[in-house]
Amino acid sequence: MVDRRIPKFHDLAPLMQFKKPTFDLKAKRLREALTIEDLRRIAKRRTPTAAFDYTDGSAEAEISLRRARQAFRDVQFNPAILHDVATVDTGWDVLGKRVEQPFGIAPTGFTRMMQTEGEKAGAAAAAAAGIPFSLSTMGTASVEDVAEAAPGGRNWFQLYMWKDRDRSMALVDRAAAAGFDTLLVTVDVPVAGARLRDSRNGMTIPPSLTPRTIVDALPRPWWWIDFLTTEPLAFASLDRWSGTVAELLNTMFDPTVTYDDLAWIKSQWPGKLVVKGVQTIEDARRVTDLGVDALILSNHGGRQLDRAPIPFHLLPDVVKEVGADIEVHLDTGIMSGADIVAAVALGARFTLIGRAYLYGLMAGGREGVDRAIEILSVEIARTMRLLGVNSLEELEPRHVTQLERLVPRARS
Ligand SMILES: Cc1cc2nc3c(=O)[nH]c(=O)nc-3n(C[C@H](O)[C@H](O)[C@H](O)COP(=O)(O)O)c2cc1C
């Protein structure tokens, strides 16, 4: 039996939590996004299908990307208990300079097509967070504009070697002059991957107005208003293009690039040189012997060769092979700060985020990128504390077991 009574006002008062109505809908939307997956859902709602699919999609049957994300989900963390974790430091040195987080923004092409603030928003948000920003050869802001958008920021330039070598290297010279301190040479695009969503959507750059895209635009008027009332899409490096991405890539990219070209690029670049897109232990050894400063284990976010090796699975063996001689970085599939912590525990010095940043950008421009970085940073610090470590140096392979279909993987 329960005795009932009439509630008194002072019982109710602490329960009443009427918030002041907020008129900043963007801030509200972003505040309510608690994970990168939440930002992805907002991005999908607000962005035309073709632009969203260009970002979200990958090559062929999209197996590489699914596997890479699954590999991170199949992590078992092994926490150490009873450590004082009142303070935690999520930064350390990467390529000779301190970063505040063990991740940076990956180079992505056509970024202003996803959201018009594009690379400038990415570079400014990265600078504010104390992490590097990478500008793609296929970026939609010039090296000079990116440098100006992020005074004091650390910018990296990503090079695709084109058939026109002089033009490629002229860009590299401009990046050096604008203060970019690191060159990422992407080596996994001898030809374009088959992005089937783009073909099915009939995606063009810039987006074209067809009956289908107009119907698609109706529920997303703000994206189009924004797009049509800002500077037309221009590229960091090339003039306007109207065709599919695959046509553009295959017209420009040089399928004859070899290790000799990499050595030549190294002789031309005064800063740090990083090879992006290493996918086997043998290639990791070869690029290390060439004397580059870091390699990025990456399958381009699954956008090139489908069924490519999973970078996170390659990591322990590659670190064992070359980790004493070179920094090993990693990307592809990162959707949470816990993924980044797992990669660092297995020996990655640094990681890059592609889509996680772009979902934030599409969800809310500069503030959306800030939110994506904040979500990952909070997840990193919390995961480190729960593992019982105060610094990235203390993260070790013993903190992570890679599960394969829930069977522990043998440690190498
Ligand atoms: C929309 C998009 C465009 C990209 N463009 C480039 C590019 O121009 N150059 C490059 O080296 N990598 C490019 N990438 C690959 C990223 O740099 C990075 O390797 C990849 O996004 C990492 O996987 P994640 O998206 O799962 O984080 C692109 C990726 C995406 C999603």
Side-chain angles (χ1 to χ4, degrees):
M1 279 293 284
V2 183
D3 290 334
R4 299 207 179 269
R5 65 188 186 103
I6 298 190
K8 304 205 168 62
F9 181 75
H10 67 259
D11 294 328
L12 289 177
L15 304 179
M16 288 197 274
Q17 302 231 346
F18 300 116
K19 288 196 195 119
K20 267 196 261 157
T22 169
F23 298 103
D24 187 345
L25 295 181
K26 189 203 276 189
K28 179 171 183 293
R29 180 166 88 226
L30 294 174
R31 208 174 40 244
E32 286 172 359
L34 302 181
T35 61
I36 298 297
E37 195 54 57
D38 290 344
L39 288 175
R40 177 184 176 277
R41 273 189 287 273
I42 300 170
K44 182 168 186 177
R45 219 168 48 226
R46 302 182 61 80
T47 314
T49 302
F52 178 80
D53 274 351
Y54 171 68
T55 310
D56 191 58
S58 49
E60 315 222 14
E62 308 197 347
I63 294 169
S64 289
L65 180 62
R66 257 198 316 277
R67 283 184 184 164
R69 286 182 175 169
Q70 189 60 44
F72 281 121
R73 280 193 286 262
D74 289 347
V75 156
Q76 171 185 295
F77 280 121
N78 309 314
I81 57 169
L82 296 173
H83 283 268
D84 173 356
V85 289
T87 58
V88 67
D89 181 3
T90 60
W92 60 4
D93 281 4
V94 169
L95 295 171
K97 287 187 199 157
R98 181 169 165 89
V99 294
E100 295 304 325
Q101 300 291 334
F103 69 88
I105 293 186
T108 60
F110 311 116
T111 314
R112 285 193 57 230
M113 192 183 63
M114 293 143 204
Q115 205 277 349
T116 51
E117 293 173 44
E119 286 86 357
K120 288 190 194 174
I131 60 173
F133 172 82
S134 316
L135 174 66
S136 162
T137 300
M138 309 304 282
T140 41
S142 68
V143 287
E144 293 81 11
D145 285 350
V146 165
E148 198 187 306
R154 184 175 180 190
N155 294 317
W156 296 357
F157 186 73
Q158 177 264 322
L159 176 71
Y160 280 128
M161 208 36 157
W162 300 340
K163 290 178 182 145
D164 185 343
R165 297 281 151 110
D166 291 345
R167 241 173 116 190
S168 316
M169 293 320 279
L171 253 181
V172 169
D173 291 344
R174 270 172 58 195
F180 286 52
D181 67 11
T182 299
L183 186 68
L184 313 179
V185 182
T186 298
V187 293
D188 53 14
V189 185
V191 296
R195 319 261 170 84
L196 302 184
R197 290 201 216 181
D198 297 350
S199 309
R200 293 193 173 116
N201 288 330
M203 192 189 94
T204 58
I205 292 176
S208 27
L209 284 168
T210 62
R212 185 167 156 193
T213 56
I214 289 168
V215 170
D216 185 66
L218 293 177
R220 304 171 176 89
W222 288 111
W223 188 95
W224 281 97
I225 290 169
D226 197 25
F227 183 72
L228 296 172
T229 56
T230 49
E231 278 274 294
L233 274 192
F235 295 98
S237 46
L238 59 139
D239 304 327
R240 278 172 82 83
W241 176 267
S242 52
T244 68
V245 181
E247 282 163 6
L248 172 63
L249 300 193
N250 286 333
T251 309
M252 290 181 59
F253 294 165
D254 184 351
T256 71
V257 171
T258 65
Y259 270 93
D260 291 342
D261 297 283
L262 187 59
W264 179 76
I265 293 167
K266 184 170 180 302
S267 72
Q268 305 287 307
W269 171 255
K272 300 285 185 191
L273 190 79
V274 178
V275 179
K276 176 173 184 286
V278 173
Q279 302 187 59
T280 64
I281 299 171
E282 296 72 30
D283 278 328
R285 174 43 64 201
R286 256 188 105 174
V287 298
T288 303
D289 291 347
L290 209 73
V292 303
D293 299 288
L295 61 85
I296 307 177
L297 292 177
S298 165
N299 65 35
H300 212 107
R303 300 164 73 80
Q304 286 298 111
L305 177 67
D306 203 13
R307 304 170 209 238
I310 300 166
F312 183 59
H313 278 178
L314 268 179
L315 180 63
D317 290 340
V318 167
V319 168
K320 194 168 156 207
E321 174 71 27
V322 300
D325 309 323
I326 192 176
E327 285 188 11
V328 177
H329 300 185
L330 174 138
D331 76 19
T332 301
I334 291 172
M335 289 290 279
S336 88
D339 300 345
I340 295 169
V341 170
V344 173
L346 292 184
R349 189 74 192 175
F350 198 55
T351 60
L352 293 174
I353 52 160
R355 294 180 184 82
Y357 138 68
L358 295 172
Y359 294 143
L361 181 71
M362 291 188 283
R366 161 72 199 270
E367 291 99 314
V369 183
D370 288 337
R371 183 72 183 131
I373 294 173
E374 185 185 18
I375 288 172
L376 294 173
S377 306
V378 167
E379 288 170 340
I380 288 171
R382 187 177 53 236
T383 307
M384 287 173 67
R385 285 191 156 110
L386 289 171
L387 281 174
V389 303
N390 306 89
S391 65
L392 298 175
E393 285 85 354
E394 288 171 48
L395 284 169
E396 289 177 4
R398 70 185 160 90
H399 289 112
V400 169
T401 305
Q402 291 182 320
L403 304 175
E404 262 178 348
R405 294 198 194 115
L406 304 184
V407 176
R409 222 172 151 249
R411 274 248 168 88
S412 47

